[in-house]
Amino acid sequence: MTRQQHPRIPTCTYRLQFNRWFTFSQARQIVSYLGALGVSDVYASPYFQASPDSLHGYDITDHNKLNTAIGSRADYDAWIAELHAHSIGQVLDFVPNHVGIADSRNVWWMAVLENGLSSRYAPYFDIDWQPRKFDLRDKVLLPILSDQYGRVLERGELQLWFEEGTFYLLYGERRLPIAPGTYRYVLGIALQNLAEHGGEDFYAELQSILTALEYLPKRTETDPKRITERIREREIIKRRLERLCAEAPQVQQAIEKALAQINGKAGDARSFDTLDELLNAQSYRLAFWRVAAEEINYRRFFDVNDLAAIRIELPKVFDAVHQFLLDLVSASAVTGLRIDHPDGLYLPGEYFEKLQQRCAKALGIALPKDGRAIYMVAEKILTGSEGMRNDWRLHGTTGYDFANQVTQLLVDSSAEEAITKTFHRFIGHSVPFGHLLYAKKLQVMKLALANDVDVLGNMLDRLSERSRWYRDFTLEALSRTVRETIACFPVYRTYLAPGQPVSEEDREIVERAISGAKRRNPAMDESIFNFLRDVLLFRFPANLDATGRAAHTHFVLKFQQTTAPVMAKGLEDTVFYIYNRLTALNEVGGQPQQFGLSIEAFHERNLDRQRNWSATLLATSTHDTKRSEDVRARIVAISEIPDLWRRSLQRWSVANRRWKRTINDAEAPDANEECLLYQTLLGTWPMRATGELEPVPSAEYVERIQAYMAKALHEAKINTSWIQPNEEWDAAVGTFVAKILDASPRNKFLPIFLPFAQEIARLGAVNSLTQTLLKLTSPGVPDIYQGTEIWDYSLVDPDNRRPVDYAQRREMLETLETATPDDLMHAWPDGRIKMFLTQRVLRFRREHADLFQRGEYLPLLAGGIFAECCVGFARHLADEWIAVIAPRLSSRLGFPPIGDLWKDTAIEFPENISLAQAHDLFSCRPVQMHGRQVKLADMLATLPFAVITNL
């Protein structure tokens, strides 16, 4: 790869999901294909050391090693060399927030479990070593058991193990360390077993080891010198014990006999007493996984117990986590970064700035004036009118904002009342979105993230005790105030930082949340909400000392880290599976209570991107989207035919009622779940190459839908959940899916479903082509999720992480060299038309990168009968330009929306664009102009979209 200027701005990224089924070697094999497609940069999922069976890579156990399940360093280097040979860069998905702790290869976490506070890595994790529950003081709650601790213990599922001078606890596939100071429980019994050898040297050596254990600094030590001593002596003791067992087999046998005694005998409860006593002396407390929400005392990634948050804000943690990454940046193996979950960071802005500085140093360049040495985007979820923070040293977001805007653009907003009435009548009640979100965020704080919020209540209580004005506020009242305020938070979080003035944006967010909490709690004293408001806005009492200010500031920063997980779990992972009015709108960062976005508003969003974030990613599908872009494109088309949707929904329900089961006086599935199911089927139903839908779904498809519905119902937490699964309900819904998709002639559903699904498939194809074209040409960097260069009807993970058939795609790409637009339009069901559109525009982007990176954005006005059914804009730089025309609401025209169906609809070109040499990008034919207008009947004569340029 030729030497690049920094930062290297991609013209298009292509997301690859690495795991044991897709390796570095396999990625190397598709590099030439990606280059031919027009991709400038691979966008790689995390590939540092993680659990071997991880399908996503976010459970990193060591940031400084490659995941051997994906490949060796030689495999990696060969892939990078191939990328460089094709001048393709690499944007890496980097995880600074947390690490995976289920795998014993996580050296940091194992050290903490073995040594507690005395571990040098204890400060690396966000652990509350002094929780309110006394029995957890100086311990880490470890909720990994499948049942209550006593039951697991007395079933003999917890077993001590001895290997190479070290004791471990085995539980299933997990191996946990044992604190060296507690080796005496085993070695003391072993010594008794060796009583007859009292005169032997090995007996004296074992006595000496026991004495050394007594003098070993305690696991609660925090003095650096004593910690160093503990580390040194601990390893010496282990080596002595290993050597002793090797030299004296009698000692090994005595230890094994002691272990057999301590490990107990199922059916004899008292035989486990010593093991119970030993485990209670550890730096961790084993617990049933369901108690995690209320008592867990380490911060997690959301509510995932196996992902522990790390304190990346500490210099030593930052340095340790980024060492290998910066080496890869220095070697140009990594040319861009995607930062995972920035809202979990203690100080996001400070982190971005520091990382940019380190990348500049790694690249051997001076930090640019704008502070951006490397291309960097962050997974920031924007809600509503929220914008990115202008002072962040980033190039933008990962593109969820664009995905939602383009989906909303495709909604027929005139159908809102009809679609809403249909939804409410079908499920039998109304669903106010704001109230639903508020209620589910409270539910999350009660169930999944209870302790995270309780910690904030305790911290706020301590702050109130510092002031005579606020000390009368009770802990319960303060905790409720925190919960109610978070439940009313309109965005994921604020971004106050020590020593920095509070921004107007953050002030408005806090004020809005406090006002909402007051309104929903009229019986509560307003003064307690005002107290929290002042704390959250850094309004320090005049007499507050430095210690008090530090505690105050720490509370605010911890509060900010908490609101984002509550919003994500309440909205994305709960409400989005309940509010099923039009599920295409239930997307990460989406606003499903909004029904449509005007063409003018879409242009405004693009203009803002061009002015402020011209290199932000533009996504339509990602590894985290609830549905693929093509599924959403289909489902959103329901808004174009609301009357048919209403009638069809009722007919389907009547036809399928006999397959429902009554469970505790409720029908399974309930009406809301049934509504979700029908939309899911419309979005995913397989299509033949002829354009006809498959008359009978395959067994694999049925299993996919069953798996999806199971996940959706558990996430909704209405009739079943992950914590309290309702197996009877789950089975009933699974059976319902199988019955309505059965090929039997007795099935009345399929014959009345398929005609509607056929219409939705056609409208969805047009919508998909539109959102693809808009993504490829709008201000920003288009991102393609693996495999979606052709039709892809995947659902939420793990469905969207199935293997991609690149051999098929390579063959399809090769046929494009001889295929005509007319051929592709007639064969639209095979997906090549989407690939054709993608390749042609990406090649053009690559050849004219400046036009897209720096060119102005000009909305194009449409006139005529179907002016509302098309969106157009131009990108203009000096004397170069490109214009884009794409359809929307195509049901008003017919399928396909081409030629005379457009009647008198025309696009007007502005005066500052020279129309000389204007031609169609796809056919290279000159464009027939009518003054400064182009008629869509001419321009869209063959394809339902157009790109015009003078280049």
Side-chain angles (χ1 to χ4, degrees), residues 124-139:
Y124 286 33
F125 296 92
D126 203 346
I127 299 171
D128 180 7
W129 292 101
Q130 298 297 316
R132 292 182 69 85
K133 184 169 182 174
F134 182 80
D135 289 343
L136 277 174
R137 300 285 171 88
D138 300 324
K139 289 177 178 282

mmCIF file with all atom_site columns, all heavy atoms in Angstrom, residues 124-139:
data_model
loop_
_atom_site.group_PDB
_atom_site.id
_atom_site.type_symbol
_atom_site.label_atom_id
_atom_site.label_alt_id
_atom_site.label_comp_id
_atom_site.label_asym_id
_atom_site.label_entity_id
_atom_site.label_seq_id
_atom_site.pdbx_PDB_ins_code
_atom_site.Cartn_x
_atom_site.Cartn_y
_atom_site.Cartn_z
_atom_site.occupancy
_atom_site.B_iso_or_equiv
_atom_site.pdbx_formal_charge
_atom_site.auth_seq_id
_atom_site.auth_comp_id
_atom_site.auth_asym_id
_atom_site.auth_atom_id
_atom_site.pdbx_PDB_model_num
ATOM 1   N N   . TYR A 1 124 ? -7.483  -2.136  38.376 1.00 0.00 ? 124 TYR A N   1
ATOM 2   C CA  . TYR A 1 124 ? -7.826  -2.112  36.954 1.00 0.00 ? 124 TYR A CA  1
ATOM 3   C C   . TYR A 1 124 ? -9.333  -2.263  36.730 1.00 0.00 ? 124 TYR A C   1
ATOM 4   O O   . TYR A 1 124 ? -9.858  -1.834  35.708 1.00 0.00 ? 124 TYR A O   1
ATOM 5   C CB  . TYR A 1 124 ? -7.107  -3.249  36.211 1.00 0.00 ? 124 TYR A CB  1
ATOM 6   C CG  . TYR A 1 124 ? -5.629  -3.033  35.982 1.00 0.00 ? 124 TYR A CG  1
ATOM 7   C CD1 . TYR A 1 124 ? -4.844  -2.329  36.893 1.00 0.00 ? 124 TYR A CD1 1
ATOM 8   C CD2 . TYR A 1 124 ? -5.006  -3.554  34.860 1.00 0.00 ? 124 TYR A CD2 1
ATOM 9   C CE1 . TYR A 1 124 ? -3.477  -2.162  36.687 1.00 0.00 ? 124 TYR A CE1 1
ATOM 10  C CE2 . TYR A 1 124 ? -3.644  -3.386  34.633 1.00 0.00 ? 124 TYR A CE2 1
ATOM 11  C CZ  . TYR A 1 124 ? -2.886  -2.686  35.560 1.00 0.00 ? 124 TYR A CZ  1
ATOM 12  O OH  . TYR A 1 124 ? -1.546  -2.498  35.350 1.00 0.00 ? 124 TYR A OH  1
ATOM 13  N N   . PHE A 1 125 ? -10.014 -2.898  37.689 1.00 0.00 ? 125 PHE A N   1
ATOM 14  C CA  . PHE A 1 125 ? -11.442 -3.160  37.563 1.00 0.00 ? 125 PHE A CA  1
ATOM 15  C C   . PHE A 1 125 ? -12.241 -2.201  38.431 1.00 0.00 ? 125 PHE A C   1
ATOM 16  O O   . PHE A 1 125 ? -11.756 -1.710  39.455 1.00 0.00 ? 125 PHE A O   1
ATOM 17  C CB  . PHE A 1 125 ? -11.755 -4.604  37.952 1.00 0.00 ? 125 PHE A CB  1
ATOM 18  C CG  . PHE A 1 125 ? -11.130 -5.627  37.039 1.00 0.00 ? 125 PHE A CG  1
ATOM 19  C CD1 . PHE A 1 125 ? -9.877  -6.171  37.334 1.00 0.00 ? 125 PHE A CD1 1
ATOM 20  C CD2 . PHE A 1 125 ? -11.774 -6.028  35.884 1.00 0.00 ? 125 PHE A CD2 1
ATOM 21  C CE1 . PHE A 1 125 ? -9.294  -7.107  36.495 1.00 0.00 ? 125 PHE A CE1 1
ATOM 22  C CE2 . PHE A 1 125 ? -11.188 -6.965  35.033 1.00 0.00 ? 125 PHE A CE2 1
ATOM 23  C CZ  . PHE A 1 125 ? -9.953  -7.501  35.337 1.00 0.00 ? 125 PHE A CZ  1
ATOM 24  N N   . ASP A 1 126 ? -13.472 -1.972  38.030 1.00 0.00 ? 126 ASP A N   1
ATOM 25  C CA  . ASP A 1 126 ? -14.359 -1.061  38.760 1.00 0.00 ? 126 ASP A CA  1
ATOM 26  C C   . ASP A 1 126 ? -15.137 -1.883  39.788 1.00 0.00 ? 126 ASP A C   1
ATOM 27  O O   . ASP A 1 126 ? -16.300 -2.235  39.589 1.00 0.00 ? 126 ASP A O   1
ATOM 28  C CB  . ASP A 1 126 ? -15.307 -0.380  37.769 1.00 0.00 ? 126 ASP A CB  1
ATOM 29  C CG  . ASP A 1 126 ? -15.835 0.938   38.312 1.00 0.00 ? 126 ASP A CG  1
ATOM 30  O OD1 . ASP A 1 126 ? -15.670 1.170   39.523 1.00 0.00 ? 126 ASP A OD1 1
ATOM 31  O OD2 . ASP A 1 126 ? -16.412 1.713   37.544 1.00 0.00 ? 126 ASP A OD2 1
ATOM 32  N N   . ILE A 1 127 ? -14.457 -2.189  40.901 1.00 0.00 ? 127 ILE A N   1
ATOM 33  C CA  . ILE A 1 127 ? -15.018 -3.065  41.927 1.00 0.00 ? 127 ILE A CA  1
ATOM 34  C C   . ILE A 1 127 ? -15.294 -2.258  43.191 1.00 0.00 ? 127 ILE A C   1
ATOM 35  O O   . ILE A 1 127 ? -14.448 -1.473  43.632 1.00 0.00 ? 127 ILE A O   1
ATOM 36  C CB  . ILE A 1 127 ? -14.055 -4.219  42.261 1.00 0.00 ? 127 ILE A CB  1
ATOM 37  C CG1 . ILE A 1 127 ? -13.794 -5.068  41.014 1.00 0.00 ? 127 ILE A CG1 1
ATOM 38  C CG2 . ILE A 1 127 ? -14.599 -5.085  43.391 1.00 0.00 ? 127 ILE A CG2 1
ATOM 39  C CD1 . ILE A 1 127 ? -12.685 -6.097  41.195 1.00 0.00 ? 127 ILE A CD1 1
ATOM 40  N N   . ASP A 1 128 ? -16.462 -2.467  43.775 1.00 0.00 ? 128 ASP A N   1
ATOM 41  C CA  . ASP A 1 128 ? -16.797 -1.854  45.060 1.00 0.00 ? 128 ASP A CA  1
ATOM 42  C C   . ASP A 1 128 ? -16.412 -2.849  46.154 1.00 0.00 ? 128 ASP A C   1
ATOM 43  O O   . ASP A 1 128 ? -17.136 -3.804  46.433 1.00 0.00 ? 128 ASP A O   1
ATOM 44  C CB  . ASP A 1 128 ? -18.297 -1.539  45.113 1.00 0.00 ? 128 ASP A CB  1
ATOM 45  C CG  . ASP A 1 128 ? -18.712 -0.894  46.430 1.00 0.00 ? 128 ASP A CG  1
ATOM 46  O OD1 . ASP A 1 128 ? -17.819 -0.573  47.251 1.00 0.00 ? 128 ASP A OD1 1
ATOM 47  O OD2 . ASP A 1 128 ? -19.932 -0.718  46.650 1.00 0.00 ? 128 ASP A OD2 1
ATOM 48  N N   . TRP A 1 129 ? -15.258 -2.622  46.748 1.00 0.00 ? 129 TRP A N   1
ATOM 49  C CA  . TRP A 1 129 ? -14.740 -3.562  47.755 1.00 0.00 ? 129 TRP A CA  1
ATOM 50  C C   . TRP A 1 129 ? -15.402 -3.375  49.116 1.00 0.00 ? 129 TRP A C   1
ATOM 51  O O   . TRP A 1 129 ? -15.213 -4.196  50.014 1.00 0.00 ? 129 TRP A O   1
ATOM 52  C CB  . TRP A 1 129 ? -13.231 -3.410  47.896 1.00 0.00 ? 129 TRP A CB  1
ATOM 53  C CG  . TRP A 1 129 ? -12.460 -3.853  46.681 1.00 0.00 ? 129 TRP A CG  1
ATOM 54  C CD1 . TRP A 1 129 ? -11.921 -3.063  45.718 1.00 0.00 ? 129 TRP A CD1 1
ATOM 55  C CD2 . TRP A 1 129 ? -12.152 -5.199  46.297 1.00 0.00 ? 129 TRP A CD2 1
ATOM 56  N NE1 . TRP A 1 129 ? -11.291 -3.813  44.756 1.00 0.00 ? 129 TRP A NE1 1
ATOM 57  C CE2 . TRP A 1 129 ? -11.415 -5.146  45.088 1.00 0.00 ? 129 TRP A CE2 1
ATOM 58  C CE3 . TRP A 1 129 ? -12.426 -6.458  46.859 1.00 0.00 ? 129 TRP A CE3 1
ATOM 59  C CZ2 . TRP A 1 129 ? -10.953 -6.285  44.438 1.00 0.00 ? 129 TRP A CZ2 1
ATOM 60  C CZ3 . TRP A 1 129 ? -11.960 -7.597  46.202 1.00 0.00 ? 129 TRP A CZ3 1
ATOM 61  C CH2 . TRP A 1 129 ? -11.235 -7.508  45.013 1.00 0.00 ? 129 TRP A CH2 1
ATOM 62  N N   . GLN A 1 130 ? -16.156 -2.296  49.281 1.00 0.00 ? 130 GLN A N   1
ATOM 63  C CA  . GLN A 1 130 ? -16.833 -2.042  50.558 1.00 0.00 ? 130 GLN A CA  1
ATOM 64  C C   . GLN A 1 130 ? -18.324 -1.823  50.333 1.00 0.00 ? 130 GLN A C   1
ATOM 65  O O   . GLN A 1 130 ? -18.867 -0.751  50.605 1.00 0.00 ? 130 GLN A O   1
ATOM 66  C CB  . GLN A 1 130 ? -16.206 -0.813  51.244 1.00 0.00 ? 130 GLN A CB  1
ATOM 67  C CG  . GLN A 1 130 ? -14.740 -0.953  51.596 1.00 0.00 ? 130 GLN A CG  1
ATOM 68  C CD  . GLN A 1 130 ? -14.507 -2.072  52.607 1.00 0.00 ? 130 GLN A CD  1
ATOM 69  O OE1 . GLN A 1 130 ? -15.248 -2.207  53.584 1.00 0.00 ? 130 GLN A OE1 1
ATOM 70  N NE2 . GLN A 1 130 ? -13.472 -2.880  52.371 1.00 0.00 ? 130 GLN A NE2 1
ATOM 71  N N   . PRO A 1 131 ? -19.026 -2.832  49.813 1.00 0.00 ? 131 PRO A N   1
ATOM 72  C CA  . PRO A 1 131 ? -20.461 -2.680  49.571 1.00 0.00 ? 131 PRO A CA  1
ATOM 73  C C   . PRO A 1 131 ? -21.237 -2.647  50.884 1.00 0.00 ? 131 PRO A C   1
ATOM 74  O O   . PRO A 1 131 ? -20.703 -2.963  51.954 1.00 0.00 ? 131 PRO A O   1
ATOM 75  C CB  . PRO A 1 131 ? -20.805 -3.918  48.750 1.00 0.00 ? 131 PRO A CB  1
ATOM 76  C CG  . PRO A 1 131 ? -19.807 -4.940  49.185 1.00 0.00 ? 131 PRO A CG  1
ATOM 77  C CD  . PRO A 1 131 ? -18.551 -4.175  49.457 1.00 0.00 ? 131 PRO A CD  1
ATOM 78  N N   . ARG A 1 132 ? -22.507 -2.311  50.794 1.00 0.00 ? 132 ARG A N   1
ATOM 79  C CA  . ARG A 1 132 ? -23.313 -2.206  52.015 1.00 0.00 ? 132 ARG A CA  1
ATOM 80  C C   . ARG A 1 132 ? -23.494 -3.572  52.685 1.00 0.00 ? 132 ARG A C   1
ATOM 81  O O   . ARG A 1 132 ? -23.599 -3.662  53.904 1.00 0.00 ? 132 ARG A O   1
ATOM 82  C CB  . ARG A 1 132 ? -24.677 -1.596  51.691 1.00 0.00 ? 132 ARG A CB  1
ATOM 83  C CG  . ARG A 1 132 ? -24.597 -0.130  51.281 1.00 0.00 ? 132 ARG A CG  1
ATOM 84  C CD  . ARG A 1 132 ? -25.980 0.439   51.027 1.00 0.00 ? 132 ARG A CD  1
ATOM 85  N NE  . ARG A 1 132 ? -26.745 0.556   52.264 1.00 0.00 ? 132 ARG A NE  1
ATOM 86  C CZ  . ARG A 1 132 ? -26.677 1.598   53.100 1.00 0.00 ? 132 ARG A CZ  1
ATOM 87  N NH1 . ARG A 1 132 ? -25.858 2.610   52.839 1.00 0.00 ? 132 ARG A NH1 1
ATOM 88  N NH2 . ARG A 1 132 ? -27.420 1.642   54.179 1.00 0.00 ? 132 ARG A NH2 1
ATOM 89  N N   . LYS A 1 133 ? -23.531 -4.630  51.896 1.00 0.00 ? 133 LYS A N   1
ATOM 90  C CA  . LYS A 1 133 ? -23.670 -5.961  52.484 1.00 0.00 ? 133 LYS A CA  1
ATOM 91  C C   . LYS A 1 133 ? -22.352 -6.373  53.109 1.00 0.00 ? 133 LYS A C   1
ATOM 92  O O   . LYS A 1 133 ? -21.345 -6.541  52.423 1.00 0.00 ? 133 LYS A O   1
ATOM 93  C CB  . LYS A 1 133 ? -24.105 -6.975  51.425 1.00 0.00 ? 133 LYS A CB  1
ATOM 94  C CG  . LYS A 1 133 ? -24.353 -8.363  51.993 1.00 0.00 ? 133 LYS A CG  1
ATOM 95  C CD  . LYS A 1 133 ? -25.033 -9.269  50.990 1.00 0.00 ? 133 LYS A CD  1
ATOM 96  C CE  . LYS A 1 133 ? -25.310 -10.637 51.609 1.00 0.00 ? 133 LYS A CE  1
ATOM 97  N NZ  . LYS A 1 133 ? -26.100 -11.504 50.721 1.00 0.00 ? 133 LYS A NZ  1
ATOM 98  N N   . PHE A 1 134 ? -22.354 -6.578  54.431 1.00 0.00 ? 134 PHE A N   1
ATOM 99  C CA  . PHE A 1 134 ? -21.117 -6.820  55.165 1.00 0.00 ? 134 PHE A CA  1
ATOM 100 C C   . PHE A 1 134 ? -20.390 -8.066  54.675 1.00 0.00 ? 134 PHE A C   1
ATOM 101 O O   . PHE A 1 134 ? -19.155 -8.089  54.586 1.00 0.00 ? 134 PHE A O   1
ATOM 102 C CB  . PHE A 1 134 ? -21.418 -6.948  56.668 1.00 0.00 ? 134 PHE A CB  1
ATOM 103 C CG  . PHE A 1 134 ? -20.193 -7.140  57.501 1.00 0.00 ? 134 PHE A CG  1
ATOM 104 C CD1 . PHE A 1 134 ? -19.387 -6.058  57.851 1.00 0.00 ? 134 PHE A CD1 1
ATOM 105 C CD2 . PHE A 1 134 ? -19.818 -8.418  57.934 1.00 0.00 ? 134 PHE A CD2 1
ATOM 106 C CE1 . PHE A 1 134 ? -18.247 -6.234  58.608 1.00 0.00 ? 134 PHE A CE1 1
ATOM 107 C CE2 . PHE A 1 134 ? -18.675 -8.596  58.692 1.00 0.00 ? 134 PHE A CE2 1
ATOM 108 C CZ  . PHE A 1 134 ? -17.897 -7.506  59.033 1.00 0.00 ? 134 PHE A CZ  1
ATOM 109 N N   . ASP A 1 135 ? -21.122 -9.127  54.358 1.00 0.00 ? 135 ASP A N   1
ATOM 110 C CA  . ASP A 1 135 ? -20.492 -10.385 53.952 1.00 0.00 ? 135 ASP A CA  1
ATOM 111 C C   . ASP A 1 135 ? -19.745 -10.277 52.631 1.00 0.00 ? 135 ASP A C   1
ATOM 112 O O   . ASP A 1 135 ? -18.994 -11.198 52.266 1.00 0.00 ? 135 ASP A O   1
ATOM 113 C CB  . ASP A 1 135 ? -21.549 -11.489 53.840 1.00 0.00 ? 135 ASP A CB  1
ATOM 114 C CG  . ASP A 1 135 ? -22.074 -11.911 55.203 1.00 0.00 ? 135 ASP A CG  1
ATOM 115 O OD1 . ASP A 1 135 ? -21.410 -11.600 56.204 1.00 0.00 ? 135 ASP A OD1 1
ATOM 116 O OD2 . ASP A 1 135 ? -23.147 -12.532 55.257 1.00 0.00 ? 135 ASP A OD2 1
ATOM 117 N N   . LEU A 1 136 ? -19.929 -9.192  51.904 1.00 0.00 ? 136 LEU A N   1
ATOM 118 C CA  . LEU A 1 136 ? -19.227 -8.991  50.639 1.00 0.00 ? 136 LEU A CA  1
ATOM 119 C C   . LEU A 1 136 ? -18.045 -8.041  50.771 1.00 0.00 ? 136 LEU A C   1
ATOM 120 O O   . LEU A 1 136 ? -17.398 -7.734  49.767 1.00 0.00 ? 136 LEU A O   1
ATOM 121 C CB  . LEU A 1 136 ? -20.202 -8.453  49.577 1.00 0.00 ? 136 LEU A CB  1
ATOM 122 C CG  . LEU A 1 136 ? -21.060 -9.497  48.856 1.00 0.00 ? 136 LEU A CG  1
ATOM 123 C CD1 . LEU A 1 136 ? -22.070 -8.811  47.946 1.00 0.00 ? 136 LEU A CD1 1
ATOM 124 C CD2 . LEU A 1 136 ? -20.183 -10.447 48.048 1.00 0.00 ? 136 LEU A CD2 1
ATOM 125 N N   . ARG A 1 137 ? -17.756 -7.576  51.974 1.00 0.00 ? 137 ARG A N   1
ATOM 126 C CA  . ARG A 1 137 ? -16.623 -6.673  52.153 1.00 0.00 ? 137 ARG A CA  1
ATOM 127 C C   . ARG A 1 137 ? -15.333 -7.389  51.758 1.00 0.00 ? 137 ARG A C   1
ATOM 128 O O   . ARG A 1 137 ? -15.095 -8.536  52.138 1.00 0.00 ? 137 ARG A O   1
ATOM 129 C CB  . ARG A 1 137 ? -16.522 -6.204  53.610 1.00 0.00 ? 137 ARG A CB  1
ATOM 130 C CG  . ARG A 1 137 ? -17.766 -5.449  54.109 1.00 0.00 ? 137 ARG A CG  1
ATOM 131 C CD  . ARG A 1 137 ? -17.834 -4.048  53.548 1.00 0.00 ? 137 ARG A CD  1
ATOM 132 N NE  . ARG A 1 137 ? -19.095 -3.390  53.835 1.00 0.00 ? 137 ARG A NE  1
ATOM 133 C CZ  . ARG A 1 137 ? -19.336 -2.670  54.946 1.00 0.00 ? 137 ARG A CZ  1
ATOM 134 N NH1 . ARG A 1 137 ? -18.398 -2.553  55.866 1.00 0.00 ? 137 ARG A NH1 1
ATOM 135 N NH2 . ARG A 1 137 ? -20.504 -2.087  55.102 1.00 0.00 ? 137 ARG A NH2 1
ATOM 136 N N   . ASP A 1 138 ? -14.523 -6.714  50.962 1.00 0.00 ? 138 ASP A N   1
ATOM 137 C CA  . ASP A 1 138 ? -13.233 -7.229  50.494 1.00 0.00 ? 138 ASP A CA  1
ATOM 138 C C   . ASP A 1 138 ? -13.383 -8.487  49.626 1.00 0.00 ? 138 ASP A C   1
ATOM 139 O O   . ASP A 1 138 ? -12.453 -9.288  49.506 1.00 0.00 ? 138 ASP A O   1
ATOM 140 C CB  . ASP A 1 138 ? -12.304 -7.543  51.684 1.00 0.00 ? 138 ASP A CB  1
ATOM 141 C CG  . ASP A 1 138 ? -12.021 -6.304  52.518 1.00 0.00 ? 138 ASP A CG  1
ATOM 142 O OD1 . ASP A 1 138 ? -11.902 -5.212  51.938 1.00 0.00 ? 138 ASP A OD1 1
ATOM 143 O OD2 . ASP A 1 138 ? -11.945 -6.428  53.758 1.00 0.00 ? 138 ASP A OD2 1
ATOM 144 N N   . LYS A 1 139 ? -14.557 -8.631  49.016 1.00 0.00 ? 139 LYS A N   1
ATOM 145 C CA  . LYS A 1 139 ? -14.794 -9.767  48.142 1.00 0.00 ? 139 LYS A CA  1
ATOM 146 C C   . LYS A 1 139 ? -15.422 -9.298  46.830 1.00 0.00 ? 139 LYS A C   1
ATOM 147 O O   . LYS A 1 139 ? -15.968 -8.203  46.738 1.00 0.00 ? 139 LYS A O   1
ATOM 148 C CB  . LYS A 1 139 ? -15.745 -10.786 48.796 1.00 0.00 ? 139 LYS A CB  1
ATOM 149 C CG  . LYS A 1 139 ? -15.174 -11.577 49.961 1.00 0.00 ? 139 LYS A CG  1
ATOM 150 C CD  . LYS A 1 139 ? -16.242 -12.488 50.543 1.00 0.00 ? 139 LYS A CD  1
ATOM 151 C CE  . LYS A 1 139 ? -15.695 -13.329 51.687 1.00 0.00 ? 139 LYS A CE  1
ATOM 152 N NZ  . LYS A 1 139 ? -14.899 -14.463 51.199 1.00 0.00 ? 139 LYS A NZ  1
#
